[in-house]
Amino acid sequence: MVVGGRIGRKMLGFAQVFGINVLVCDPYHTIEIPGVRQVQLDELLSASDMVGVHVKLTEETTSMVDQAFFSKMRGGAYFLNTSRGDVVNESALIEALESGKLKAAAVDVISNEHLLAKRDLPLIQYSREHDNLLVTPHVAGATLESEYKAAKYIIDKIQSVLGA
């Protein structure tokens, strides 16, 4: 698991609940959690049956998951991305799925997910024709509580501008 921030740590916790042997790679933080071993990225990729990427989108992480990344992964592994779509080179992901390098992948984010014409996006097209790619909506934060907080924040800002 390539960990980064709150979501990565939550995923790490879920994996542990299911008794999964967890390797993590985080070049910026030392992970000191019982039962979790921190390793370099190359070791994580070659040793893992499932690789999850949970990082912020930055200049450094844009297209971080590319053909070289997938080539270092164990054959027949699974891939999960809950970061941002632009962290993954989607052509390289499709190639890894088509070649059998990856058994399957799941993503809840894709590049250009804001576009209305989602049907034409490469990952959407691929997932419609193949059963080894699962694309789910990017709505993890859409809870009643988060919607309430967002609405309250907007109302408070409007009221402060209007002097109400």
Side-chain angles (χ1 to χ4, degrees), residues 140-152:
T143 64
L144 184 57
E145 292 82 9
S146 68
E147 294 296 319
Y148 173 79
K149 286 179 183 178
K152 182 166 178 5

Side-chain angles (χ1 to χ4, degrees), residues 36-119:
V36 173
R37 189 163 62 96
Q38 189 164 2
V39 297
Q40 296 298 313
L41 183 59
D42 285 356
E43 181 181 349
L44 182 141
L45 296 176
S46 67
S48 299
D49 293 320
M50 197 287 280
V51 173
V53 176
H54 319 283
V55 298
K56 290 180 183 178
L57 180 62
T58 65
E59 255 184 62
E60 185 179 8
T61 63
T62 298
S63 293
M64 165 182 114
V65 179
D66 57 9
Q67 189 173 24
F69 183 101
F70 290 123
S71 72
K72 294 174 185 175
M73 286 180 66
R74 179 181 285 191
Y78 295 87
F79 176 75
L80 170 68
N81 181 29
T82 63
S83 299
R84 291 285 181 243
D86 292 332
V87 168
V88 177
N89 176 309
E90 293 176 351
S91 297
L93 173 58
I94 290 170
E95 184 180 310
L97 288 164
E98 287 177 332
S99 71
K101 177 67 175 182
L102 293 179
K103 174 94 173 169
V107 299
D108 78 338
V109 288
I110 57 176
S111 294
N112 298 311
E113 64 187 21
H114 62 282
L115 298 177
L116 292 178
K118 290 179 182 45
R119 307 183 134 237

Side-chain angles (χ1 to χ4, degrees), residues 1-16 22 24 26 28-33 36 38 54 82:
M1 176 176 313
V2 182
V3 177
R6 181 180 52 83
I7 292 174
R9 290 189 186 269
K10 283 207 177 277
M11 292 299 291
L12 193 153
F14 294 145
Q16 284 189 304
V22 179
V24 299
D26 187 329
Y28 303 106
H29 302 97
T30 300
I31 309 294
E32 295 178 356
I33 299 172
V36 173
Q38 189 164 2
H54 319 283
T82 63

